[in-house]
């Protein structure tokens, strides 16, 4: 399951960051996940909960913010967002002359630590 390795690296980053800042406990981790990132939020939550047990994040909650896929079409010059997880053509005009500028992210936004 892809989400296990994603949760594992998120957890490592969070723990490293927390330790480097001199804190001992992570209470909350907020991540933004693009709909086109290929990560299922439910599966990520499940994996995070399973992996956090023996870490300083054992009491941490994972808050997931889903980012919709957004792009710009150069054929009709419009910006668009979509609820789909991928884009095959511009939803406005059907052209394939578009670029995606949001929806692939997988980032830690912030954390609450003690
Ligand atoms: Zn278009």
């Amino acid at each position: 399951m892809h989400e296990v390795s994603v949760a594992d690296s998120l957890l490592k980053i969070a723990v490293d960051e927390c330790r480097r800042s001199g804190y001992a406990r992570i209470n909350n981790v907020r991540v933004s996940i693009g709909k086109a990132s290929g990560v299922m939020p439910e599966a990520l939550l499940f994996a995070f909960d399973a992996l956090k047990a023996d870490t300083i994040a054992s009491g941490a909650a994972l808050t997931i913010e889903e980012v919709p896929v957004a792009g710009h079409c150069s054929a009709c010059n419009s910006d668009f967002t979509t609820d789909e997880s991928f884009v095959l053509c511009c939803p406005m005009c059907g052209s394939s002359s578009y670029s995606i500028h949001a929806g692939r992210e997988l980032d830690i936004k912030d954390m609450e630590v003690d």
Side-chain angles (χ1 to χ4, degrees):
M1 196 164 73
H2 175 56
E3 281 78 6
V4 173
S5 57
V6 173
D8 191 48
S9 54
L10 281 178
L11 204 52
K12 283 202 175 87
I13 294 167
V15 167
D16 281 355
E17 194 65 35
C18 179
R19 288 228 174 90
R20 200 174 319 141
S21 311
Y23 295 98
R25 206 155 57 97
I26 302 172
N27 297 323
N28 187 53
V29 180
R30 198 154 61 95
V31 295
S32 62
I33 293 177
K35 286 210 169 184
S37 67
V39 172
M40 302 292 295
E42 298 79 16
L44 185 63
L45 275 175
F46 184 81
F48 183 86
D49 278 347
L51 292 170
K52 72 184 183 183
D54 294 322
T55 74
I56 59 171
S58 60
L62 183 67
T63 306
I64 295 176
E65 291 179 358
E66 279 193 274
V67 181
V69 179
H72 178 80
C73 174
S74 57
C76 65
N77 199 32
S78 59
D79 292 307
F80 60 83
T81 57
T82 171
D83 286 333
E84 306 296 324
S85 57
F86 57 90
V87 177
L88 292 175
C89 60
C90 168
M92 307 295 185
C93 72
S95 165
S96 57
S97 306
Y98 63 87
S99 55
I100 299 298
H101 55 69
R104 293 198 181 110
E105 46 276 271
L106 187 55
D107 301 316
I108 295 180
K109 298 279 281 187
D110 53 44
M111 300 195 285
E112 281 169 34
V113 292
D114 272 335

